[in-house]
Amino acid sequence: MKLKAFFLATALVCGAPAVASAQEATTSVNVGVASSYQFRGVNQNADDTGQVFGGVDVSAGAFYVGTWVSNVDFGSKANLEVDLYAGYKPTIGPVTLDIGVLAYIYPQESDLLIYEGKVAGTVATESGVSLTGSVFYSPEYGKNGPSYWYYEAAVSAPIPGAKIGPFGLSAMASVGSQTFESGATLPDYTNWKVGLTAATEGGWAVDVFYTDTDVDNDKLYEGKGVIQLKRSF
């Protein structure tokens, strides 16, 4: 509980400068639909009825706060996920850091609540190639659950000269690893994703990707192709 309180307090501290600098704040909104909700290679919608999501982000300088909402289906009472997050993105040389906290909230099933701390670094080249490494930690996976670490490396790169109408094309790929504390009943696993993004300057984007894990004989972890339409403004 002390670690949970620490993460929550950190979120409030990170968000305070953004609130204090409201006159300098910028707000962005995103909404979208997807054929499936896949998170770190794991299916978050057991019935594969699709995903509808949306979020709001507020930034002031290097500080940011935000929320994001999506439908879920774990075969339990939970049918809604509400994420809250806050952080700080300083730039050190060629690296943009992202130091933040996240809360994954399921209003119909509070025992599923998860807090995470995050440290990430991104390097972007003049050609548009972006490389990101991230580390996440949670002291408790749901109520009385095990602690875990999640590591991820991701890359995205524009495809020179590739366009479909107003949509410019870029490629993306990532690999991640989830590791639970010793003795946990949940499996440690590796996941990966590869795909294409088609985006316009007006904020429309279509993602087509395939994701899979190294966990066998479990429907939640099996490979899946996904198409997603998103609008940001």
Side-chain angles (χ1 to χ4, degrees):
M1 294 299 294
K2 290 182 179 179
L3 281 173
K4 285 185 176 181
F6 168 76
F7 283 142
L8 183 58
T10 304
L12 295 175
V13 170
C14 288
V19 174
S21 303
Q23 71 279 8
E24 302 173 4
T26 59
T27 301
S28 63
V29 177
N30 67 87
V31 294
V33 294
S35 59
S36 180
Y37 179 12
Q38 301 293 121
F39 179 65
R40 296 175 181 171
V42 182
N43 192 346
Q44 307 294 296
N45 194 329
D47 288 339
D48 284 332
T49 52
Q51 179 192 21
V52 178
F53 61 88
V56 179
D57 295 276
V58 180
S59 61
F63 293 91
Y64 67 88
V65 294
T67 185
W68 184 85
V69 179
S70 173
N71 63 299
V72 295
D73 181 5
F74 303 129
S76 62
K77 293 185 294 183
N79 58 31
L80 181 68
E81 174 184 334
V82 179
D83 298 348
L84 301 175
Y85 47 88
Y88 177 57
K89 289 185 174 181
T91 298
I92 302 176
V95 181
T96 298
L97 296 176
D98 184 353
I99 304 166
V101 288
L102 307 92
Y104 304 90
I105 302 167
Y106 304 90
Q108 297 88 5
E109 199 164 357
S110 59
D111 285 356
L112 298 179
L113 174 65
I114 299 174
Y115 291 92
E116 284 185 342
K118 170 188 179 181
V119 177
T122 298
V123 176
T125 69
E126 293 183 358
S127 63
V129 177
S130 178
L131 303 170
T132 301
S134 307
V135 179
F136 299 82
Y137 172 76
S138 177
E140 195 173 71
Y141 187 84
K143 185 177 181 180
N144 300 321
S147 63
Y148 68 83
W149 293 89
Y150 182 76
Y151 309 90
E152 185 177 76
V155 59
S156 64
I159 302 175
K163 294 195 70 174
I164 301 177
F167 291 86
L169 299 183
S170 60
M172 59 176 175
S174 66
V175 60
S177 176
Q178 181 106 344
T179 303
F180 291 95
E181 68 179 74
S182 178
T185 57
L186 294 165
D188 294 346
Y189 70 94
T190 297
N191 69 91
W192 57 271
K193 179 170 73 174
V194 61
L196 293 173
T197 295
T200 71
E201 294 182 357
W204 289 97
V206 178
D207 294 326
V208 179
F209 63 87
Y210 184 83
T211 182
D212 201 356
T213 75
D214 62 353
V215 177
D216 297 324
N217 303 316
D218 191 322
K219 186 177 179 180
L220 292 178
Y221 297 86
E222 68 183 11
K224 188 174 293 294
V226 177
I227 182 169
Q228 173 181 283
L229 172 65
K230 182 178 177 179
R231 174 77 163 98
S232 300
F233 49 92

